[in-house]
Amino acid sequence: MKVALITGITGQDGSYLAEHLLDLGYEVHGIVRRVALEDPTHRLQRLSGFIDRLHLHAASLERFPSLFSVVSEVQPDELYHLAAQSFVSYSFDDAFSTFRTNIDGTHFVLECAKQLVPKCRIYFAGSSEMFGHANEVPQTEKTRFYPRSPYGISKVTGFDLSRNYREAYKMFVASGILFNHESPRRGFEFVTRKITSYVARIKRGELKELPLGNLDAKRDWGFAGDYVQAMHLMLQQDCPEDFVIATGETNSVREFCQLAFEFAGLNYEDYVVTDPQFYRPAEVHLLLGDATKSKEILGWEPTIKFEELVEMMVMHDLDLLAS
Ligand code: NAP
Ligand code: GDD
């Protein structure tokens, strides 16, 4: 039985990936913060349907010895490094802690693996935010990085560290350059879930308006359940490589709003207001991925279209409030 270790298992992607690997017959271990074990009802909520089948270990991305001891105990065949301060907006408020978590944390994970399990296959969670102010559309594995946020900078550094461990120490480290992916398990601070959760509360009469920032930003939005499958496929290849994972379709925040309100029988123009506090000091205006390499080498393709994704999230949030 293969052994997988996931950092960030409590997050959106970690929870889908854990489920996927359990289905494939893996022994699945996850690193969680100690506070999560102390407050499982809230902090382990995304794992609630299958938590009995997982092995959870307390460690912190900021403390090398804690990671060292978990990797040493688990001896993983595959290590999925997903943990990160992942909210772009917050990275402008506290760049220092974002760098500590995302850069030092990634460095610690790679170094633990090098010292303890050099043959382990490692996935690094790269991001389309690394393209930032992209010089071409669509973006591929060859597109230049021009990050526009501390978060984006931290991911470029994590990506470079991963490539350097691959080249310098001949380790199997693959990075996914994943475009935005969403689901009913998405955190409420991200724009898609913010919109669908507000739609549900507006529909029930609990709220009267939805304050947003830049409605014209465009993102290539896919379904998280599809994207974690690509992470696993990357670690099953003969050689470690980097892959863009995207749908090849881009939509604006405004279009997401329009559709989400329509699914609830409402007109977004009656409720959406713009609020300067939700604008960013530097914005990424347009992301659109070309996942041709992933299709050809991994055999990966997205299964959920934009409209289905929006409907899935709106219906989930309506049901959540009704229950
Ligand atoms: P998420 O829902 O925000 O989950 C982040 C995970 O990281 C959580 O499990 C969180 O634990 C953990 N974490 C954060 N800081 C930590 C720390 N200091 N020590 C230990 N654990 C820590 O993110 P996601 O959407 O699943 O994304 C997974 C990864 O993919 C992230 O690296 C993200 O940057 C990257 N990514 C995401 C997308 C996307 O669209 N979703 C696209 C490209 C790349 P707690 O639950 O305890 O907070
Ligand atoms: N969060 C948020 N809240 N975003 C808003 C709002 C708002 O009220 N109003 C407009 N937006 C715009 C943002 O300015 C951005 O252009 C877009 O909506 C998407 O924002 P987020 O959903 O916060 O996602 P993100 O694109 O910044 O980052 C996500 O995707 C990256 C991959 O490209 C995160 O999941 C990152 O971790 C991930 O790497």
Side-chain angles (χ1 to χ4, degrees):
M1 185 187 270
K2 276 199 201 168
V3 177
L5 175 61
I6 304 174
T7 73
I9 194 168
T10 57
Q12 171 188 255
D13 292 6
S15 66
Y16 280 109
L17 178 64
E19 252 184 313
H20 181 55
L21 295 178
L22 286 171
D23 288 347
L24 294 174
Y26 278 67
E27 179 179 306
V28 179
H29 295 253
I31 286 179
V32 301
R33 303 193 231 208
R34 183 158 298 286
V35 283
L37 296 177
E38 287 159 6
D39 181 15
T41 316
H42 296 107
R43 292 181 161 261
L44 300 179
Q45 197 209 336
R46 291 188 180 102
L47 307 176
S48 59
F50 46 93
I51 195 162
D52 295 347
R53 298 162 65 201
L54 299 173
H55 305 265
L56 299 181
H57 308 261
S60 161
L61 267 197
E62 282 89 28
R63 287 188 49 245
F64 182 82
S66 71
L67 293 169
F68 192 89
S69 108
V70 175
V71 176
S72 172
E73 184 189 336
V74 173
Q75 295 285 315
D77 300 302
E78 295 175 10
L79 197 168
Y80 296 86
H81 176 41
L82 309 184
Q85 191 302 94
S86 74
F87 188 33
V88 172
S89 201
Y90 178 71
S91 77
F92 287 104
D93 298 333
D94 193 349
F96 290 100
S97 78
T98 301
F99 289 155
R100 249 197 323 277
T101 304
N102 295 5
I103 299 177
D104 291 349
T106 299
H107 196 184
F108 290 165
V109 166
L110 290 167
E111 187 57 28
C112 284
K114 174 175 151 252
Q115 293 188 26
L116 294 164
V117 283
K119 298 265 176 275
C120 174
R121 295 180 169 220
I122 302 168
Y123 172 82
F124 169 68
S127 163
S128 52
E129 186 72 13
M130 301 190 299
F131 295 124
H133 190 57
N135 63 344
E136 59 182 9
V137 182
Q139 294 89 43
T140 72
E141 293 78 5
K142 295 194 169 68
T143 303
R144 166 208 78 173
F145 294 146
Y146 190 137
R148 295 264 286 169
S149 63
Y151 168 83
I153 293 166
S154 76
K155 286 291 178 179
V156 171
T157 307
F159 181 92
D160 285 342
L161 275 166
S162 300
R163 186 170 47 200
N164 195 240
Y165 270 73
R166 177 162 80 210
E167 293 173 355
Y169 310 117
K170 311 291 174 247
M171 289 167 64
F172 191 114
V173 189
S175 294
I177 307 175
L178 271 55
F179 284 63
N180 298 49
H181 44 281
E182 319 294 314
S183 73
R185 297 186 196 168
R186 189 55 146 152
F188 289 96
E189 65 273 42
F190 300 95
V191 78
T192 54
R193 190 74 195 281
K194 179 174 171 182
I195 294 168
T196 60
S197 62
Y198 270 69
V199 163
R201 294 178 67 189
I202 288 170
K203 181 76 179 170
R204 280 177 67 90
E206 291 175 15
L207 290 174
K208 294 212 172 332
E209 57 184 34
L210 163 57
L212 289 172
N214 181 11
L215 297 179
D216 297 317
K218 296 183 92 173
R219 291 290 183 274
D220 180 329
W221 276 298
F223 171 53
D226 284 341
Y227 285 40
V228 299
Q229 299 194 13
M231 297 176 187
H232 173 256
L233 288 170
M234 284 179 219
L235 297 198
Q236 312 314 310
Q237 305 307 305
D238 291 339
C239 302
E241 289 186 52
D242 306 320
F243 293 91
V244 160
I245 301 296
T247 68
E249 178 184 335
T250 191
N251 287 280
S252 66
V253 173
R254 185 187 306 282
E255 284 162 335
F256 193 105
C257 282
Q258 187 176 354
L259 207 51
F261 277 90
E262 267 172 29
F263 279 123
L266 303 170
N267 180 352
Y268 84 101
E269 289 172 316
D270 296 335
Y271 303 98
V272 172
V273 295
T274 48
D275 183 334
Q277 70 164 300
F278 296 112
Y279 281 83
R280 294 175 182 179
E283 175 65 287
V284 171
H285 295 287
L286 167 64
L287 290 174
L288 173 64
D290 175 352
T292 303
K293 179 181 172 186
S294 296
K295 185 175 176 188
E296 287 177 1
I297 298 182
L298 305 177
W300 180 88
E301 281 188 272
T303 66
I304 302 284
K305 306 286 284 177
F306 177 68
E307 289 76 13
E308 294 172 277
L309 177 66
V310 180
E311 183 176 18
M312 179 200 305
M313 292 178 70
V314 170
M315 293 311 159
H316 173 85
D317 280 336
L318 285 170
D319 286 351
L320 208 59
L321 281 192
S323 60

